[in-house]
Amino acid sequence: MLQQTLSHTPLYVWAILAFLLYRGLAASKERVQGYRSAFIVPGVMLVLGWQSVAHGFGLETPVGAAWILGMLAGAGLAWMHCAPVTVDRVAGVVVQRGSWLPLALMMAVFCGKYAVAVALSIQPALRGDMRFALPVCLAFGLFGGAFLGRLLRTVAAWNAHRGTAVA
């Protein structure tokens, strides 16, 4: 069954995995990146989580609310606990301390999304089972919220140094 599941996985899924591994390993080291680049991984992770909830269960159901609540909780936790970000508005870059947490979160989102897609393809009735859908969507929200909270800290640091740019 595992072989059949892996062989029916579209190639783009493996490309996404490679991208996430690359970005997660890069996040483990202190790095300087353009301000706009800081939006890429959080954006990808939010879209992946949103897509899982929207296509798997529907956003207009209680699971959509669970996803939003999870996102708010994850963003709040990340806001309180993420590493400080240094910004250089003149150069247009942010310096982020290295951490293995982004890689762990990316792999949790990827593996969770993959496992849920497999589970729903095998047992489509799980779409309407709130005992399955609510915790899954809450978890996707928490993971996405963690990326959102970290991004919001970066934006706040960037905006706090608004007056330091040379015109």
Side-chain angles (χ1 to χ4, degrees):
M1 183 171 153
L2 179 62
Q3 182 180 10
Q4 185 178 15
T5 299
L6 294 175
S7 69
H8 285 88
T9 300
L11 288 177
Y12 73 87
V13 171
W14 304 120
I16 291 171
L17 176 60
F19 169 77
L20 294 176
L21 285 169
Y22 169 76
R23 291 302 293 241
L25 290 172
S28 70
K29 300 174 183 77
E30 185 172 297
R31 66 207 179 281
V32 177
Q33 67 185 93
Y35 178 67
R36 290 183 181 174
S37 296
F39 287 79
I40 294 172
V41 169
V44 168
M45 301 315 295
L46 289 171
V47 168
L48 287 175
W50 171 82
Q51 182 205 32
S52 294
V53 175
H55 295 311
F57 307 100
L59 290 173
E60 65 283 346
T61 65
V63 296
W67 180 68
I68 291 169
L69 288 174
M71 177 130 359
L72 292 172
L77 288 170
W79 178 271
M80 293 186 306
H81 299 291
C82 75
V85 176
T86 306
V87 301
D88 182 346
R89 287 185 62 94
V90 174
V93 298
V94 295
V95 179
Q96 294 187 335
R97 291 180 31 195
S99 171
W100 289 102
L101 184 60
L103 176 63
L105 288 170
M106 286 183 230
M107 292 303 98
V109 170
F110 180 86
C111 293
K113 183 170 172 43
Y114 190 85
V116 167
V118 170
L120 292 176
S121 70
I122 293 170
Q123 294 184 358
L126 289 174
R127 290 184 198 287
D129 186 347
M130 291 299 128
R131 295 170 299 175
F132 176 78
L134 286 173
V136 163
C137 293
L138 182 65
F140 283 150
L142 282 168
F143 296 144
F147 285 101
L148 179 61
R150 190 168 187 209
L151 176 62
L152 292 175
R153 289 290 285 216
T154 300
V155 170
W158 185 265
N159 289 333
H161 291 85
R162 181 169 281 170
T164 62
V166 175

